[in-house]
Amino acid sequence: MSTDYEARLNELGITLPNAPAPAANYVPSVQIGDTLYVSGQISQNENGLIVGKLGKDMEVAEAAAAAKTCAISLLAQVKSACGGDLNRLQRVVKLTGFVNSTLDFTNQPQVINGASDFLVEALGDAGRHARSAVSAAALPLGVAVEIEGIFQIKT
């Protein structure tokens, strides 16, 4: 059975942006065999960076929405690495999510659920993945969330 991920994203009202360019001395992704490692994607949308610190000036629901933007950027990077063909994606293997939060904030998993839930909704079983959700005292540019991913792709 063939899957058209772009069509499913369109049904969800999602258009993948151009893959964000690296902001420093690194590459957006590295492919080894059928495994694609995608560098951390920060929370941002068409209006710019989504900044904030959980436990201080941002609520979980708002941060979960920010995590979803990271997942959208991850898919944009996968599409770019696959020569523009998102359907080469076989599955999401693992996400590592970093949440900009205070020392006493403990709901990092609920924040990263914003990315996980979106990937399962968009990709079905291919979106189910292993995951880590951890706190960070600060993230680049003050963003609320950063997520990196490992993906299996068709070679």
Side-chain angles (χ1 to χ4, degrees):
M1 182 171 133
S2 177
T3 302
D4 188 345
Y5 295 129
E6 296 268 9
R8 177 64 182 143
L9 289 169
N10 285 335
E11 289 173 11
L12 296 173
I14 303 290
T15 301
L16 292 181
N18 291 328
N25 188 17
Y26 63 91
V27 294
S29 64
V30 172
Q31 181 179 342
I32 299 174
D34 68 348
T35 304
L36 182 68
Y37 299 85
V38 178
S39 296
Q41 301 297 299
I42 59 175
S43 53
Q44 61 184 336
N45 59 27
E46 62 279 353
N47 299 319
L49 298 176
I50 302 171
V51 299
K53 184 176 280 289
L54 277 292
K56 180 180 177 187
D57 58 13
M58 183 176 256
E59 298 296 323
V60 170
E62 184 181 7
K68 178 180 175 180
T69 70
C70 296
I72 291 169
S73 292
L74 285 167
L75 290 182
Q77 293 292 1
V78 170
K79 180 179 176 180
S80 178
C82 290
D85 183 6
L86 186 60
N87 291 325
R88 284 185 52 206
L89 173 64
Q90 286 189 269
R91 76 166 301 136
V92 182
V93 176
K94 181 165 191 243
L95 298 182
T96 303
F98 304 91
V99 180
N100 186 353
S101 54
T102 60
L103 292 175
D104 60 344
F105 182 80
T106 59
N107 291 323
Q108 291 81 5
Q110 289 79 3
V111 171
I112 302 305
N113 280 347
S116 296
D117 293 347
F118 167 73
L119 290 170
V120 172
E121 181 181 20
L123 307 173
D125 284 339
R128 297 191 186 283
H129 52 273
R131 185 183 88 177
S132 298
V134 298
S135 180
L139 288 175
L141 307 172
V143 297
V145 181
E146 180 175 355
I147 303 175
E148 63 183 23
I150 303 171
F151 301 84
Q152 182 182 24
I153 58 172
K154 298 172 191 163
T155 56

